[in-house]
Amino acid sequence: QVHPVESGGGLVQAGGSLRLSCAASGGTFSMYVVGWFRQAPGKEREFVAAISWTGDTTVTANSVEDRFTISRDNAKNTVYLQMNSLKPEDTAVYNCAADSHSARLRPQHRSRSPYDYWGQGTQVTVSS
């Protein structure tokens, strides 16, 4: 059973950048779609980005698509979220999640339901 483990969060000033990592612990992300979600205080968890197993297909939320990029290195069993031009409204706990039943992206991967393995999250705080 794979456990996604996030890292790379922290405190950054507005306009700065962070790269989050999601590593597979206790298993691999082999043939899994992996996604990133975030939840700000008092708000619903929202979709950020997802990537297919091969990495050739990605989808990113409209609100961040010009600033965030998802990628993966399957040799390292790690998925990344590069976040540039950060804004205070990007402050949230960022979770990665893996769908062990899908290698290809589907429209449903914008929602939480297909994902069966979730990490504990990493805090991102953007100061103004």
Side-chain angles (χ1 to χ4, degrees):
Q1 185 172 359
V2 65
H3 297 282
V5 179
E6 304 93 337
S7 62
L11 174 64
V12 64
Q13 288 188 333
S17 298
L18 283 174
R19 187 176 79 157
L20 305 184
S21 298
C22 175
S25 175
T28 74
F29 288 145
S30 178
M31 301 297 287
Y32 295 5
V33 166
V34 176
W36 285 96
F37 291 77
R38 68 184 183 183
Q39 187 167 21
K43 294 188 176 181
E44 294 283 321
R45 182 174 291 176
E46 65 173 349
F47 170 76
V48 177
I51 188 166
S52 64
W53 156 241
T54 58
D56 61 350
T57 309
T58 64
V59 59
T60 308
N62 292 340
S63 59
V64 301
E65 65 180 351
D66 58 340
R67 301 182 294 119
F68 291 10
T69 303
I70 189 171
S71 63
R72 68 192 297 162
D73 184 340
N74 288 336
K76 296 182 179 179
N77 276 305
T78 301
V79 175
Y80 304 99
L81 184 68
Q82 178 67 44
M83 307 186 295
N84 299 326
S85 302
L86 283 161
K87 304 175 181 179
E89 51 264 43
D90 294 318
T91 294
V93 174
Y94 285 71
N95 296 90
C96 76
D99 177 2
S100 65
H101 304 291
S102 297
R104 294 180 179 180
L105 275 179
R106 296 176 287 126
Q108 294 90 326
H109 285 111
R110 288 179 173 267
S111 69
R112 292 175 286 176
S113 57
Y115 299 93
D116 45 354
Y117 296 110
W118 288 81
Q120 293 297 309
T122 186
Q123 175 71 46
V124 171
T125 303
V126 184
S127 63
S128 57

